[in-house]
Amino acid sequence: MRRIAILLTVAATLALGGCKIDDGSDRDIYRPARALWFEVSCRLTEVKSICRCLSTLDAMLSPQWSDIVDKLEMRYLDNAIIRVDDKGVYEIYIYDYSDRITTSYRIATGGQSVSADNPWTVICDGNSSETDLILTRDADGLHLSMMSDFRAGKFHAAEIGLSYDVDTVRARLTMTLDGGRGEIGDDKDNPSYGIVYQIASPLLYDSKDSLEDGEVDIVYDDFIDPVTDRVRVTVVKGFTYFECM
């Protein structure tokens, strides 16, 4: 049995709670697909959290929403301490309920929202890893480039499209990951396995940051056996469906 399949199946079982261990009589044919989705969705959750923080700051620095800056900060960065220097470099420290710093961001904004002439460079530090990012904007929206992310001996890189809308009445920000792709492996230069995911349909998040709709294609390659698995994951109104290809 492949090493990653064992680890991912255990993790998925714990996370999903209702997934019972296969006793040989009632086989869940989607267990490998669930395991792959657990790994990818964990990474997408991390990317989504980064995108939420950056899009909130971008909205706060955009002139058209200057009258609700305090409300946006209170709603989305109420668990953070924000510092900014005279060069427009923001330091944002995110705290949990135990007053521990879970994530910190160092964002070179130039004091302005993201534009074609003002890309942001970002250092995100959390969970014993440091990630270098670039945030740019063009006619299609925002684009997040994750240069490197090592955690627990695994590698993750991603290129993600991002858009958001601001409800000026309720000071509420809704976010969509519009597309992009990512790669996950145990070693960047000499991986024994690799997971590539493609956002095939925009990932839509509700006001509670739960994934409501979207589609992701996943390809798993075991370079030792070798074995390849292909899975399409579709989320409709919060329900997840798997198609093994």
Side-chain angles (χ1 to χ4, degrees):
M1 182 179 291
R2 288 165 284 164
R3 300 170 308 285
I4 185 173
I6 296 173
L7 294 174
L8 293 180
T9 300
V10 171
T13 301
L14 292 174
L16 295 173
C19 183
K20 79 171 185 177
I21 295 177
D22 182 9
D23 60 6
S25 62
D26 185 17
R27 183 174 299 277
D28 180 0
I29 63 173
Y30 295 116
R31 286 177 71 195
R34 292 178 190 274
L36 282 175
W37 175 237
F38 176 79
E39 180 74 7
V40 171
S41 62
C42 282
R43 301 297 178 157
L44 285 173
T45 297
E46 295 171 357
V47 171
K48 182 261 298 178
S49 297
I50 292 171
C51 289
R52 172 68 71 187
C53 183
L54 296 181
S55 57
T56 298
L57 183 58
D58 182 65
M60 290 167 59
L61 291 175
S62 298
Q64 63 264 44
W65 298 305
S66 59
D67 56 336
I68 60 169
V69 168
D70 292 341
K71 294 180 180 179
L72 288 172
E73 181 177 344
M74 184 178 298
R75 179 181 292 275
Y76 295 109
L77 296 173
D78 64 325
N79 61 333
I81 291 179
I82 302 176
R83 299 170 182 164
V84 57
D85 64 17
D86 56 3
K87 296 181 180 179
V89 176
Y90 280 75
E91 292 183 346
I92 302 177
Y93 300 90
I94 309 294
Y95 287 81
D96 63 13
Y97 293 110
S98 301
D99 290 332
R100 294 180 306 171
I101 296 176
T102 58
T103 311
S104 66
Y105 298 91
R106 181 177 173 85
I107 310 168
T109 70
Q112 299 178 346
S113 59
V114 184
S115 67
D117 299 324
N118 186 47
W120 287 3
T121 59
V122 183
I123 298 175
C124 173
D125 190 358
N127 296 326
S128 301
S129 70
E130 187 173 282
T131 307
D132 298 323
L133 308 117
I134 301 292
L135 188 67
T136 58
R137 175 180 265 125
D138 59 22
D140 296 323
L142 292 164
H143 303 275
L144 183 72
S145 174
M146 179 178 290
M147 309 300 291
S148 62
D149 177 19
F150 294 89
R151 54 185 79 205
K154 296 180 181 179
F155 172 74
H156 179 213
E159 297 283 343
I160 300 292
L162 165 67
S163 66
Y164 67 88
D165 294 312
V166 176
D167 180 342
T168 57
V169 175
R170 295 182 293 178
R172 182 169 293 175
L173 186 149
T174 57
M175 190 179 65
T176 304
L177 299 188
D178 286 326
R181 66 190 301 274
E183 298 181 18
I184 305 168
D186 57 344
D187 188 296
K188 180 181 180 181
D189 299 318
N190 187 32
S192 61
Y193 73 88
I195 301 172
V196 175
Y197 63 86
Q198 180 83 33
I199 300 176
S201 178
L203 303 181
L204 307 178
Y205 293 89
D206 63 16
S207 60
K208 297 181 180 179
D209 272 357
S210 296
L211 179 58
E212 281 292 295
D213 293 283
E215 186 174 88
V216 180
D217 291 333
I218 306 172
V219 178
Y220 169 83
D221 282 309
D222 190 314
F223 304 128
I224 305 298
D225 283 351
V227 176
T228 297
D229 290 326
R230 296 178 182 272
V231 176
R232 174 166 294 164
V233 180
T234 304
V235 180
V236 180
K237 296 182 178 180
F239 292 93
T240 306
Y241 304 90
F242 302 94
E243 179 186 354
C244 300
M245 297 179 291

